[in-house]
Amino acid sequence: MNVIEVKNLSKTFKVKIKEKGLKGSLKSIFKQKYKTIDAVKDISFEVEKGEIIAFIGPNGAGKSTTIKMLTGILYADEGSIEVLKINPTKERKRLAYEIGTVFGQKEQLWMHLTPYDNFKFFSAIYDIPEQVAEKRIEKLKILFELNDFIDTPVRNLSLGQRIRCEIVASLIHEPKVLFLDEPTIGLDPVVKENIRTLIKRMNKELKTTIFLTSHDVGDIEKLCKRVIIINHGRIVLDDSMENLKYHYLNKKIIEVKMKEKVNLDDEEGITILKDKGYNLKIEVDTQYKNVADVIKLLDPDKIIDINISNIPLENIISAIYKNEDK
Amino acid sequence: MRKYLYIFKSNLMTNLQYIGNITIGFITYFVVIFIFANLWKYIYSDQSKLINGYSMEQMIWYVILTEILWYATSGRKLCNKISDDVKSGNIAYNLNKPYNYIGYALFSHMGEAILRGFLYTIAGVVIGLFLLGPIENFDLIALPFIILSSILATVINVILVICIGLTSFWVEDSGPFYWIYSKLILVFGTMFPIEYFKGIIEVILKYSPVYVTTYGPAKLLVDFSYQSVINIFLAQLIYLFIAVLISLLIYRKGVRQINVNGG
């Protein structure tokens, strides 16, 4: 069952432009010029119930604009959106009861209140009866391990603790879809890992569909089974993580320590990334040469140590972004 | 309604952490009252005389209450906040919450205004009793009417300031509009009762926000009558209705222009 259906969605912004210098400033008083930016151009996709989907792209690609249209913050110029069969533009308030949002760069908690008071506040906002709210707070407190700081004012919490509370606040009304816009921004690796584990646990236990945007490849790799890449307002890839990782670029990295020097120059499908005499790092394009052939070329008897790995996801994503830019 | 009461409560709880900051404002309040007390003592050289129907004590108590309402509303702060919300696009993040932004802004600010009003009332009563003693012929029966009228006055004032802040949807800076509004209230509303102005100005002031935001509650404090209660509450309810209507219209029209920065 689809919980999000987007068809031919487009959004343009009118941006004021001004000629440079004082002359430009004076001119703009009398005649204002605008240019139109196509933030989102004719995108279509669906998200199934219970999925954790990564919606990624470089800065200015149209990710946040899309999320804002999906959550009813911005109006679409063209196309249609249905989130849980609700049109976000026409029934924004009704949709608000069904979805949760966490914008990593925009806090929604009251900084001087404790997380507990904040959760009570959000319960009231979503018309949740007192007793039900208490039960949910207790459940989420355990799930997100908030016990140690649930009575500490938010302003005194660390960023990681605050983000956990932000997520809990957005889950208090048990939304069916949770939109996470860069939830791990600014967090250290340990806290990031912790947040990812909690998000995964939440998805498993509460069956919440998660729509995630992030610049952190770790978030995407560890949480998502499907990825949509958007660039210049268009969807450039909509595929499973498996396909993206193993088939999209068809490349492997081989790092070897040799007994003696080998020469792999001019071999089709092989790119030397590093050559330090006996230590080599090569990239193999498996469309032209398979890994076994490369090992044969190296001569297995002369190999002291070998490590074969996939191209880091970050490189794959960067390559897709760059490819699109060309 | 429960959600709006929670918004009110949450901001009240937040501001309870800043009681110290609020009380620092007492200094300027005391200075203002002290200046006006001396001014009126000078004007009323014969202290048993009435000017435009008000005795000297009534005039000073009038200023004590209107200044409480002025400090409680703290309009500049509210106007700047609304204006910043609009200009930064923060207002958009309220759109996908199940409440109305005007209601949110009103109840949130009232959480602060009620606390400030309460604290300034204590300060006002203390300084009033110290300078003048009890109000002559004051009947306790007037108290609930004065409190209710003061709350309504603040609510109306807050909504009007929200309207001014929302003009940021169209203008770069709503500050000048607020400056004009606040000076009108300050000059015509807090210093003198409407009866001090004659002719067309008196008529205009009777229909202006001054009548409902400052004059009304202060009039009930210094010159209580049931006729005044009816007139003032009726005017306040009409003003409240109109102010809510205007604020919703401005908001609905403005919100369509929202351009939030993407990422």
Side-chain angles (χ1 to χ4, degrees), chain A residues 138-195:
Chain A
E138 192 56 33
K139 186 173 153 190
L140 289 164
K141 183 179 88 178
I142 296 164
L143 185 65
F144 279 79
E145 299 160 7
L146 309 180
N147 207 28
D148 292 343
F149 52 88
I150 196 157
D151 294 319
T152 308
V154 173
R155 66 172 190 273
N156 296 332
L157 300 182
S158 68
L159 185 58
Q161 290 170 331
R162 190 174 68 71
I163 293 287
R164 269 146 78 180
C165 294
E166 290 274 358
I167 297 174
V168 169
S170 65
L171 289 173
I172 212 84
H173 57 295
E174 296 192 339
K176 295 183 182 81
V177 185
L178 181 64
F179 293 90
L180 297 171
D181 193 1
E182 301 193 36
T184 60
I185 194 164
L187 300 176
D188 70 52
V190 178
V191 179
K192 270 183 189 176
E193 199 50 50
N194 179 254
I195 299 272

Side-chain angles (χ1 to χ4, degrees), chain A residues 56-58 192 196 214-222 227 229 241 244-245 248-249 283 310-323:
Chain A
I56 61 170
K192 270 183 189 176
R196 286 169 195 149
S214 180
H215 285 295
D216 191 308
V217 175
D219 287 350
I220 301 153
E221 204 165 16
K222 304 241 167 78
V227 61
I229 299 181
M241 286 300 293
L244 178 69
K245 271 165 56 178
Y248 189 75
L249 286 182
E283 188 182 276
N310 290 309
I311 293 261
L313 183 60
E314 192 152 3
N315 294 10
I316 299 176
I317 291 170
S318 299
I320 295 169
Y321 290 172
K322 281 176 194 161
N323 211 23

Side-chain angles (χ1 to χ4, degrees), chain B residues 95-133:
Chain B
L95 294 177
N96 69 346
K97 295 280 182 287
Y99 51 67
N100 178 284
Y101 178 75
I102 301 293
Y104 176 85
L106 169 66
F107 280 83
S108 171
H109 194 73
M110 284 306 289
E112 180 181 345
I114 291 289
L115 178 66
R116 292 173 73 90
F118 176 72
L119 294 173
Y120 273 88
T121 301
I122 294 171
V125 170
V126 169
I127 195 170
L129 291 175
F130 175 73
L131 292 173
L132 310 157

